[in-house]
Amino acid sequence: MEEKLYFPKNFLWGGATSCPQIEGSFNKPHKSVFDYWSSIEPEKFFDGVGSDVTSDFYHRYKEDIKLIKSIGLNSFRTSIQWSRLIKNLETGEVDEENVLFYHNVIDEILDNGLIPIINLHHFDLPVELYEKYGGWESRKVVDMFVLFAKKCFELYGDKVKYWTTFNEPIVVVEGQYLYKMHYPCLVDGEKAVQVLYNLNLASAKAIREFRQGGFDKYGSKIGIILNLTPTYPRSDSKEDLEASEIADEFFNKSFLEPDTKGHFSKKFIEFLEKHNVLFKQEKEDNKIFKENIVDFLGINYYFPRRIQAKESVIEDDKFFPDNYFDYYDMPNKRMNPYRGWEIYPNAIYDIAMNIKENYNNIPWYISENGMGVENEARFLDDSGVIQDDYRIEFYEEHLKYLSDAIKDGANCFGFHCWTPIDCWSWCNAYKNRYGYISVDLETQKRTIKKSGYWIKNFIEKQNNN
Ligand code: BGP
């Protein structure tokens, strides 16, 4: 007999995407860092495919939103691009045509009976703010972001009930300042720490703007989306535990603590002080953090982080987080070979219990989870449908652990896949496909995969439970 799963009434069954990954760069007043980078160094992107067309959502949003509805989802996260909405980044003057574009998108979402979740930053800093001010290194850029956020609240505040300030802000730190995944591909641990701080500040200030401006009067809520990659030590030796704790502080708690408790953890501050890289802050900042914690969390989960004590000797005396731990290559782990990520569904339960036990059981939802697979055309059947059974199995396993967590008291209000419709992905471009719905890049034709029919059926079953 099939096992009964537990998902509350009004659970958000949905999917997430981001505008820089679907819209194409048509009609934008500014380039984002990815628009710029893929235009100057296309060879850094899989098959040389940049962000100029992507899935052409800019022209096809009506069709796409209807398709998302047709596979039974009840909610949809996308984002608003700073580099599209704002014409004058200094003054916050908007681009009227693009104001209308986002009105049309949000209206279409609502008209289809879907709940929109709108995110304000998904790795898409306008590149000129990097060239002119050093991007997130600068507090001026923090305030410019707040200006952009305020415009979004003013324009769309009566329509959007769930806002999020950032998607995976730690990935901006990693991508731009540590591991060369995002333009300008710097390797600078000290700057990384300041950027980490400034991103936290930008989120808290945007939340302050939201509340002081009274945008919560519509009953709307504001949160942030974090990739809370759970950290598992190789063993319970003192050395492994310490290394694992440092990784957890740097990659998870550095946002989770200020976002939910209004201050950085003592351990994190001591760690930065010890290595002489404590961020610069201003007097009023602590008050801003304290008064502007999030209403809810979005949690992206793909894979666990396995850590062991540092084995090699550190030769460089410059600060770099990886100087204090090594990654542990656990034997026999289950892998998604296309993306190179471990598959470990149990972690969803661990994340949920961590939030329940250590973060006051704040409301949260899974804002991304999914499996990217290369060359899915080989799974096409005679009727032209991709038989993505691996994806169905992946979701079934993750949802089982989520259901167990909810049974055990997790305050989880939704599950969003990454992503309803195949989309462009940063340097991997269209290499790995994640969608319930495929996109043929030659023709832009959309076709529902087997997993799209499966999720519809799955949600119906849960609703009738
Ligand atoms: C998350 C990002 C998404 C998306 C996803 C899948 O980290 O928020 O934007 O890209 O990962 O990862 P990837 O596209 O790198 O395979």
Side-chain angles (χ1 to χ4, degrees), residues 221-240:
K221 304 211 172 310
I222 190 158
I224 192 165
I225 289 168
L226 303 179
N227 48 320
L228 292 184
T229 309
T231 313
Y232 297 102
R234 169 181 55 182
S235 74
D236 52 12
S237 76
K238 185 169 159 283
E239 293 75 16
D240 284 347

Side-chain angles (χ1 to χ4, degrees), residues 135-287:
W136 292 113
E137 293 162 45
S138 151
R139 288 180 72 106
K140 185 170 169 65
V141 171
V142 168
D143 291 330
M144 291 166 99
F145 172 75
V146 177
L147 199 59
F148 157 63
K150 186 175 177 210
K151 288 285 169 201
C152 294
F153 303 146
E154 281 168 0
L155 289 164
Y156 312 112
D158 57 337
K159 299 179 179 177
V160 176
K161 296 285 177 280
Y162 294 94
W163 290 96
T164 55
T165 54
F166 284 85
N167 175 78
E168 302 188 347
I170 192 68
V171 172
V172 175
V173 178
E174 295 171 343
Q176 294 197 314
Y177 291 90
L178 296 173
Y179 310 123
K180 301 205 225 174
M181 299 162 340
H182 297 187
Y183 181 84
C185 304
L186 305 178
V187 180
D188 189 324
E190 200 172 336
K191 279 187 179 167
V193 171
Q194 191 61 48
V195 165
L196 181 154
Y197 180 81
N198 289 352
L199 287 164
N200 267 299
L201 187 64
S203 179
K205 280 189 158 186
I207 293 174
R208 181 176 66 172
E209 196 62 50
F210 178 79
R211 295 199 179 122
Q212 283 183 354
F215 296 104
D216 48 359
K217 71 175 174 225
Y218 305 104
S220 28
K221 304 211 172 310
I222 190 158
I224 192 165
I225 289 168
L226 303 179
N227 48 320
L228 292 184
T229 309
T231 313
Y232 297 102
R234 169 181 55 182
S235 74
D236 52 12
S237 76
K238 185 169 159 283
E239 293 75 16
D240 284 347
L241 287 173
E242 259 172 27
S244 163
E245 222 179 298
I246 291 172
D248 195 43
E249 287 286 345
F250 199 90
F251 296 108
N252 292 330
K253 290 187 172 177
S254 59
F255 283 92
L256 182 57
E257 295 275 323
D259 288 338
T260 59
K261 296 183 177 164
H263 56 81
F264 290 91
S265 83
K266 200 163 154 256
K267 227 183 161 100
F268 185 56
I269 299 287
E270 282 169 3
F271 170 71
L272 298 178
E273 273 172 340
K274 183 170 159 202
H275 298 289
N276 222 2
V277 286
L278 187 62
F279 39 73
K280 289 187 205 63
Q281 55 178 162
E282 290 184 6
K283 231 169 102 209
E284 56 159 16
D285 294 358
N286 283 342
K287 189 164 179 283

Side-chain angles (χ1 to χ4, degrees), residues 54 81 101 111 123 209 214 243 268 276 309 313 390 398 401 413 438:
T54 64
Q81 289 200 71
F101 170 70
D111 290 349
F123 313 159
E209 196 62 50
F268 185 56
N276 222 2
V313 180
Y390 41 87
H398 285 77
Y401 282 97
F413 63 85
S438 69

Side-chain angles (χ1 to χ4, degrees), residues 21 122 167-168 300 302 339 341 368 418 425-426 434:
Q21 294 178 266
H122 202 119
N167 175 78
E168 302 188 347
N300 294 352
Y302 289 92
R339 190 58 183 84
W341 284 345
E368 286 182 30
W418 183 269
S425 158
W426 322 116
Y434 285 84

Side-chain angles (χ1 to χ4, degrees), residues 65-133:
I65 292 166
K66 284 194 177 68
L67 267 171
I68 290 168
K69 173 71 181 177
S70 80
I71 56 167
L73 306 186
N74 63 16
S75 48
F76 175 47
R77 168 167 64 109
T78 185
S79 64
I80 294 177
Q81 289 200 71
W82 190 355
S83 55
R84 177 182 289 290
L85 187 80
I86 304 293
K87 185 150 88 187
N88 185 328
L89 297 164
E90 309 281 337
T91 64
E93 185 200 342
V94 293
D95 181 299
E96 291 299 343
E97 223 178 296
N98 283 312
V99 166
L100 187 63
F101 170 70
Y102 287 120
H103 268 301
N104 290 341
V105 169
I106 295 169
D107 288 346
E108 192 66 29
I109 298 173
L110 292 167
D111 290 349
N112 277 280
L114 299 166
I115 296 170
I117 300 181
I118 300 295
N119 178 44
L120 298 176
H121 195 82
H122 202 119
F123 313 159
D124 53 348
L125 178 77
V127 71
E128 58 201 83
L129 297 187
Y130 175 73
E131 309 297 359
K132 231 165 151 181
Y133 302 114

